[in-house]
PDB file of all heavy atoms in Angstrom:
ATOM      1  N   ASP K 178       9.090  -8.856 -23.042  1.00 88.00           N
ATOM      2  CA  ASP K 178       8.860 -10.291 -22.906  1.00 88.00           C
ATOM      3  C   ASP K 178       7.444 -10.554 -22.755  1.00 88.00           C
ATOM      4  O   ASP K 178       6.991 -11.699 -23.170  1.00 88.00           O
ATOM      5  CB  ASP K 178       9.745 -10.875 -21.776  1.00 88.00           C
ATOM      6  CG  ASP K 178      11.241 -10.889 -22.094  1.00 88.00           C
ATOM      7  OD1 ASP K 178      11.640 -10.754 -23.271  1.00 88.00           O
ATOM      8  OD2 ASP K 178      12.020 -11.067 -21.124  1.00 88.00           O
ATOM      9  N   GLY K 179       6.669  -9.679 -22.129  1.00 86.00           N
ATOM     10  CA  GLY K 179       5.305  -9.997 -21.798  1.00 86.00           C
ATOM     11  C   GLY K 179       4.336  -9.603 -22.996  1.00 86.00           C
ATOM     12  O   GLY K 179       3.185  -9.842 -22.886  1.00 86.00           O
ATOM     13  N   ILE K 180       4.853  -8.910 -23.976  1.00 85.00           N
ATOM     14  CA  ILE K 180       4.007  -8.510 -25.087  1.00 85.00           C
ATOM     15  C   ILE K 180       4.070  -9.618 -26.174  1.00 85.00           C
ATOM     16  O   ILE K 180       5.167 -10.029 -26.602  1.00 85.00           O
ATOM     17  CB  ILE K 180       4.520  -7.161 -25.766  1.00 85.00           C
ATOM     18  CG1 ILE K 180       4.422  -6.066 -24.700  1.00 85.00           C
ATOM     19  CG2 ILE K 180       3.754  -6.829 -26.973  1.00 85.00           C
ATOM     20  CD1 ILE K 180       4.957  -4.752 -25.137  1.00 85.00           C
ATOM     21  N   PRO K 181       2.907 -10.199 -26.603  1.00 85.00           N
ATOM     22  CA  PRO K 181       2.910 -11.306 -27.535  1.00 85.00           C
ATOM     23  C   PRO K 181       3.582 -10.941 -28.875  1.00 85.00           C
ATOM     24  O   PRO K 181       3.316  -9.815 -29.406  1.00 85.00           O
ATOM     25  CB  PRO K 181       1.432 -11.572 -27.698  1.00 85.00           C
ATOM     26  CG  PRO K 181       0.744 -11.022 -26.512  1.00 85.00           C
ATOM     27  CD  PRO K 181       1.584  -9.818 -26.145  1.00 85.00           C
ATOM     28  N   GLU K 182       4.381 -11.782 -29.338  1.00 83.00           N
ATOM     29  CA  GLU K 182       5.007 -11.530 -30.699  1.00 83.00           C
ATOM     30  C   GLU K 182       3.992 -11.655 -31.786  1.00 83.00           C
ATOM     31  O   GLU K 182       4.256 -11.201 -32.943  1.00 83.00           O
ATOM     32  CB  GLU K 182       6.187 -12.514 -30.903  1.00 83.00           C
ATOM     33  CG  GLU K 182       7.337 -12.321 -29.922  1.00 83.00           C
ATOM     34  CD  GLU K 182       8.527 -13.249 -30.264  1.00 83.00           C
ATOM     35  OE1 GLU K 182       8.646 -13.604 -31.415  1.00 83.00           O
ATOM     36  OE2 GLU K 182       9.216 -13.639 -29.305  1.00 83.00           O
ATOM     37  N   THR K 183       2.825 -12.288 -31.506  1.00 84.00           N
ATOM     38  CA  THR K 183       1.877 -12.407 -32.502  1.00 84.00           C
ATOM     39  C   THR K 183       1.304 -11.023 -32.972  1.00 84.00           C
ATOM     40  O   THR K 183       0.835 -10.917 -34.103  1.00 84.00           O
ATOM     41  CB  THR K 183       0.636 -13.253 -32.011  1.00 84.00           C
ATOM     42  OG1 THR K 183       0.201 -12.727 -30.726  1.00 84.00           O
ATOM     43  CG2 THR K 183       1.079 -14.719 -31.799  1.00 84.00           C
ATOM     44  N   LEU K 184       1.332 -10.010 -32.057  1.00 83.00           N
ATOM     45  CA  LEU K 184       0.910  -8.741 -32.465  1.00 83.00           C
ATOM     46  C   LEU K 184       1.814  -8.138 -33.567  1.00 83.00           C
ATOM     47  O   LEU K 184       1.307  -7.543 -34.527  1.00 83.00           O
ATOM     48  CB  LEU K 184       0.987  -7.780 -31.210  1.00 83.00           C
ATOM     49  CG  LEU K 184      -0.028  -8.052 -30.105  1.00 83.00           C
ATOM     50  CD1 LEU K 184       0.228  -7.111 -28.898  1.00 83.00           C
ATOM     51  CD2 LEU K 184      -1.469  -7.987 -30.550  1.00 83.00           C
ATOM     52  N   GLU K 185       3.097  -8.371 -33.471  1.00 82.00           N
ATOM     53  CA  GLU K 185       4.045  -7.881 -34.483  1.00 82.00           C
ATOM     54  C   GLU K 185       3.877  -8.682 -35.778  1.00 82.00           C
ATOM     55  O   GLU K 185       3.991  -8.123 -36.866  1.00 82.00           O
ATOM     56  CB  GLU K 185       5.452  -7.991 -33.957  1.00 82.00           C
ATOM     57  CG  GLU K 185       5.774  -7.098 -32.764  1.00 82.00           C
ATOM     58  CD  GLU K 185       7.119  -7.362 -32.182  1.00 82.00           C
ATOM     59  OE1 GLU K 185       8.100  -6.957 -32.762  1.00 82.00           O
ATOM     60  OE2 GLU K 185       7.155  -8.073 -31.154  1.00 82.00           O
ATOM     61  N   GLU K 186       3.618 -10.000 -35.633  1.00 83.00           N
ATOM     62  CA  GLU K 186       3.441 -10.812 -36.799  1.00 83.00           C
ATOM     63  C   GLU K 186       2.222 -10.424 -37.582  1.00 83.00           C
ATOM     64  O   GLU K 186       2.191 -10.388 -38.766  1.00 83.00           O
ATOM     65  CB  GLU K 186       3.343 -12.266 -36.358  1.00 83.00           C
ATOM     66  CG  GLU K 186       4.651 -12.865 -35.776  1.00 83.00           C
ATOM     67  CD  GLU K 186       4.456 -14.240 -35.170  1.00 83.00           C
ATOM     68  OE1 GLU K 186       3.315 -14.735 -35.193  1.00 83.00           O
ATOM     69  OE2 GLU K 186       5.475 -14.798 -34.674  1.00 83.00           O
ATOM     70  N   ALA K 187       1.197 -10.054 -36.852  1.00 84.00           N
ATOM     71  CA  ALA K 187      -0.082  -9.539 -37.473  1.00 84.00           C
ATOM     72  C   ALA K 187       0.204  -8.235 -38.230  1.00 84.00           C
ATOM     73  O   ALA K 187      -0.302  -8.061 -39.346  1.00 84.00           O
ATOM     74  CB  ALA K 187      -1.175  -9.418 -36.418  1.00 84.00           C
ATOM     75  N   ALA K 188       1.058  -7.365 -37.619  1.00 82.00           N
ATOM     76  CA  ALA K 188       1.352  -6.096 -38.218  1.00 82.00           C
ATOM     77  C   ALA K 188       2.123  -6.319 -39.556  1.00 82.00           C
ATOM     78  O   ALA K 188       1.971  -5.697 -40.585  1.00 82.00           O
ATOM     79  CB  ALA K 188       2.143  -5.238 -37.299  1.00 82.00           C
ATOM     80  N   ARG K 189       3.085  -7.346 -39.469  1.00 82.00           N
ATOM     81  CA  ARG K 189       3.913  -7.584 -40.663  1.00 82.00           C
ATOM     82  C   ARG K 189       3.031  -8.260 -41.804  1.00 82.00           C
ATOM     83  O   ARG K 189       3.316  -8.028 -42.986  1.00 82.00           O
ATOM     84  CB  ARG K 189       5.063  -8.563 -40.303  1.00 82.00           C
ATOM     85  CG  ARG K 189       6.237  -7.805 -39.569  1.00 82.00           C
ATOM     86  CD  ARG K 189       7.543  -8.677 -39.578  1.00 82.00           C
ATOM     87  NE  ARG K 189       7.387  -9.836 -38.791  1.00 82.00           N
ATOM     88  CZ  ARG K 189       7.635  -9.858 -37.443  1.00 82.00           C
ATOM     89  NH1 ARG K 189       8.024  -8.782 -36.876  1.00 82.00           N
ATOM     90  NH2 ARG K 189       7.550 -10.937 -36.798  1.00 82.00           N
TER      91      ARG K 189
END
Side-chain angles (χ1 to χ4, degrees):
D178 288 344
I180 297 175
E182 295 184 29
T183 53
L184 295 177
E185 296 171 76
E186 292 171 0
R189 283 198 290 273

